[in-house]
Amino acid sequence: MKNIIEPFKIKSVEPITFTTRDERLNFMKEAYYNPFLLRADSVIIDLLTDSGTSAMSSKQWAGIMDGDEAYAGSKSFFRFEEAVKKITGFKYIIPTHQGRAAEKILFTNVGGPGKYIPNNTHFDTTRANVEFSGAVAEDFLNEIGKHPEIRADFKGNMDVPALENFIKEKGVENIPLVMITVTNNSGGGQPVSMQNIREVKAVCKKYGLPLFIDACRFAENSYFIKKREPGYQDKSVLEIAQEMFSYADGATMSAKKDALVNIGGFLALNDDNLAMNCRNLLIVTEGFSTYGGLAGRDLEAIAQGLEEIVDENYLQYRIRSVEYLGERLISAGIPIIEPPGGHAIYLDAKRFLPNIPPEQFPGQSIVAALYIEGGIRAVEIGSVMFGRYDEHGKYVAPPMELVRLAIPRRVYTQSHIDYVIEVMIEVFKKRNEMPGYKITYEAPMLRHFTAKFEPLF
Ligand code: F0G
């Protein structure tokens, strides 16, 4: 059959509140044109993030009832530990309340002033936790990953020669580990190839450095490898994931993505000493080592989610539905990062609104228009998020102006996506009438969450 259908039936539903354009204009004004300040029940289709927004399965909900809430040695912990070990093969599995907590524990132990952490692209919280420890976060994305309009299979790959030069320049003793993020969220949800992971591993081995994987979207990455990388067509996604982790010495994971839960995460690793130190810190900041800030029921839901995520019918539907949205936008002439990524479509706001300069926030203008036109919530990843001023007060724009439409897992059907396409096309038609914006309030750090805007008509 040609039609790829949602590989689930719907047992429980949550109503969407519909709003009129006039109501949305008002809500947007009241939220100072910042979608983070909107009430979620005034949103029709929420594409702000794919994190913690998944629909859980009936088996996961059954696991919620079945969760063992013992403080220590809960049976849910052992089920969780076994599920993570089956996929990753790591010796120590440390639960945390979400991804950034695993990062905090890891980098508090290995980071610190004078240290450097290389990654293909650090996600914001990873960078923040590296920097918070006093270390420096450096990105080594392959050149092709930096060009939104060029299509390639593995645009998340690391630039291996640049990584090796960096190790030589900074000194092995100053690099506690190398990290690789699959898929590369900040670079458009683009996958990393097995070949690239092997090459990174070879460099790590040569210099005696551990390799860690930021594994939030490991199943989506594994599926891309199966579809695109020679030699993997006949392997199962589980086998591919196992091979990927076999090259690594540890991983951090936000279970809010590819473990199909609303909260949770883990740190997994092999080194005895580091694991002991991480567990000790976990007990101070997160909780005892068999729950790490989670309830027993959360561990049960993660264990079940990890079994479901490697189902290839699910992954085929998942990757295809994101690609479908991307294809329709491309054929309407709407500029996006190509090819479509695993969990999101990234609009290229520079090409969408060439007349609005970065300091007037073209991405924010699209985000506001998407909400007003159709109640769709997206997020700007450009000048609002990363723009800064130099020491002379001159504006410095980031390299790309993007808008992310992240697709929650198992939440929206094809007709919801068709609606998104219709709204996008409508907004694109009206692009010449769209205003730039100015900021009227900004916090000193992470301003995008709370900034207030005004349109420049
Ligand atoms: N690493 C990556 C690649 C991520 O995408 C995220 C979260 C994290 C780490 C941190 O995990 O949120 O559980 O603490 N990304 C979300 C997003 C927030 O919207 O992309 P967390």
Side-chain angles (χ1 to χ4, degrees):
M1 289 298 147
K2 246 179 45 223
N3 261 320
I4 295 168
I5 60 173
E6 285 82 5
F8 48 78
K9 294 184 285 181
I10 297 167
K11 182 170 271 186
S12 176
V13 298
E14 182 184 344
I16 288 173
T17 316
F18 287 93
T19 46
T20 63
R21 195 174 193 283
D22 282 345
E23 284 169 336
R24 291 193 295 270
L25 256 173
N26 235 351
F27 289 144
M28 191 80 293
K29 223 187 233 168
E30 282 170 9
Y32 301 96
Y33 299 91
N34 184 346
F36 281 105
L37 304 180
L38 283 169
R39 288 179 58 122
D41 60 5
S42 68
V43 173
I44 296 177
I45 306 279
D46 202 346
L47 307 182
L48 191 63
T49 179
D50 64 320
S51 180
T53 51
S54 301
M56 293 211 293
S57 67
S58 50
K59 282 197 175 156
Q60 284 178 295
W61 282 110
I64 292 277
M65 273 313 290
D66 208 28
D68 175 3
E69 302 305 339
Y71 188 95
S74 138
K75 89 172 160 50
S76 301
F77 169 74
F78 293 109
R79 185 177 172 209
F80 157 83
E81 186 187 41
E82 197 183 318
V84 178
K85 275 192 177 170
K86 182 176 167 191
I87 294 168
T88 65
F90 295 123
K91 198 165 159 193
Y92 300 102
I93 313 298
I94 300 171
T96 59
H97 80 271
Q98 61 185 85
R100 69 198 69 179
E103 294 162 0
K104 173 81 167 71
I105 287 168
L106 178 64
F107 293 117
T108 302
N109 275 294
V110 304
K115 302 281 194 241
Y116 297 86
I117 310 289
N119 200 324
N120 47 348
T121 313
H122 288 84
F123 179 67
D124 332 8
T125 61
T126 325
R127 169 175 291 279
N129 276 300
V130 168
E131 291 174 354
F132 191 71
S133 81
V136 175
E138 285 280 349
D139 292 341
F140 295 95
L141 187 63
N142 227 329
E143 184 56 34
I144 198 149
K146 299 176 192 164
H147 299 273
E149 68 294 351
I150 300 177
R151 288 184 85 94
D153 284 343
F154 292 103
K155 290 174 78 176
N157 280 357
M158 201 153 185
D159 182 341
V160 183
L163 169 71
E164 184 164 7
N165 286 339
F166 184 75
I167 296 171
K168 283 194 223 152
E169 182 195 321
K170 298 296 177 192
V172 181
E173 64 287 1
N174 297 319
I175 302 182
L177 57 86
V178 174
M179 203 159 195
I180 195 154
T181 305
V182 301
T183 55
N184 182 24
N185 184 10
S186 311
Q190 301 292 323
V192 178
S193 71
M194 195 73 88
Q195 173 71 24
N196 189 248
I197 296 173
R198 268 197 299 268
E199 287 169 10
V200 172
K201 173 68 183 178
V203 169
C204 288
K205 207 166 165 190
K206 182 167 163 194
Y207 294 93
L209 295 177
L211 173 63
F212 272 62
I213 294 183
D214 177 340
C216 299
R217 300 177 180 87
F218 77 92
E220 291 170 4
N221 200 81
S222 301
Y223 188 76
F224 278 120
I225 289 176
K226 181 173 171 115
K227 288 288 143 185
R228 296 181 179 173
E229 191 161 348
Y232 287 93
Q233 280 63 32
D234 298 328
K235 293 226 159 89
S236 72
V237 164
L238 176 61
E239 287 167 333
I240 294 171
Q242 286 165 336
E243 181 180 337
M244 221 162 65
F245 287 113
S246 76
Y247 301 122
D249 303 282
T252 56
M253 164 106 183
S254 167
K256 299 171 76 172
K257 285 82 171 174
D258 270 357
L260 295 164
V261 292
N262 307 119
I263 196 74
F266 58 81
L267 169 63
L269 69 173
N270 285 335
D271 185 275
D272 300 333
N273 212 21
L274 182 57
M276 188 182 68
N277 291 336
C278 288
R279 274 191 176 153
N280 288 341
L281 183 57
L282 182 89
I283 295 172
V284 177
T285 59
E286 288 275 301
F288 187 61
S289 50
T290 61
Y291 74 88
L294 294 169
R297 55 180 172 270
D298 299 324
L299 296 169
E300 233 10 269
I302 295 172
Q304 181 60 34
L306 288 173
E307 277 177 34
E308 294 174 12
I309 199 73
V310 291
D311 170 10
E312 295 180 22
N313 287 324
Y314 160 76
L315 284 166
Q316 179 189 39
Y317 139 82
R318 167 75 177 160
I319 300 301
R320 178 60 198 145
S321 56
V322 174
E323 185 184 51
Y324 170 83
L325 169 59
E327 277 173 3
R328 293 297 162 103
L329 298 183
I330 293 166
S331 64
I334 298 170
I336 67 166
I337 293 193
E338 294 198 46
H343 67 294
I345 292 297
Y346 292 70
L347 305 174
D348 184 349
K350 263 191 199 169
R351 284 186 288 149
F352 195 116
L353 291 175
N355 299 329
I356 299 184
E359 58 271 29
Q360 290 182 15
F361 312 117
Q364 198 65 23
S365 181
I366 297 172
V367 163
L370 280 173
Y371 179 74
I372 293 166
E373 195 65 37
I376 296 167
R377 178 154 71 166
V379 65
E380 194 263 11
I381 303 184
S383 276
V384 176
M385 208 178 260
F386 300 121
R388 57 185 183 85
Y389 299 91
D390 69 11
E391 62 273 24
H392 311 293
K394 196 171 169 293
Y395 182 70
V396 186
M400 292 201 265
E401 300 291 337
L402 304 173
V403 171
R404 186 180 78 169
L405 307 166
I407 313 297
R409 294 172 181 75
R410 304 192 296 207
V411 170
Y412 294 117
T413 63
Q414 181 167 351
S415 67
H416 289 119
I417 298 296
D418 283 332
Y419 171 80
V420 172
I421 293 162
E422 191 183 338
V423 173
M424 277 295 325
I425 292 174
E426 211 39 50
V427 167
F428 191 57
K429 273 191 206 149
K430 295 181 183 166
R431 64 192 181 281
N432 293 329
E433 300 153 33
M434 284 161 55
Y437 282 78
K438 69 170 185 195
I439 290 187
T440 58
Y441 162 78
E442 63 181 295
M445 274 172 71
L446 297 174
R447 66 175 179 179
H448 55 285
F449 288 118
T450 53
K452 296 178 179 173
F453 298 88
E454 241 172 46
L456 295 161
F457 283 112

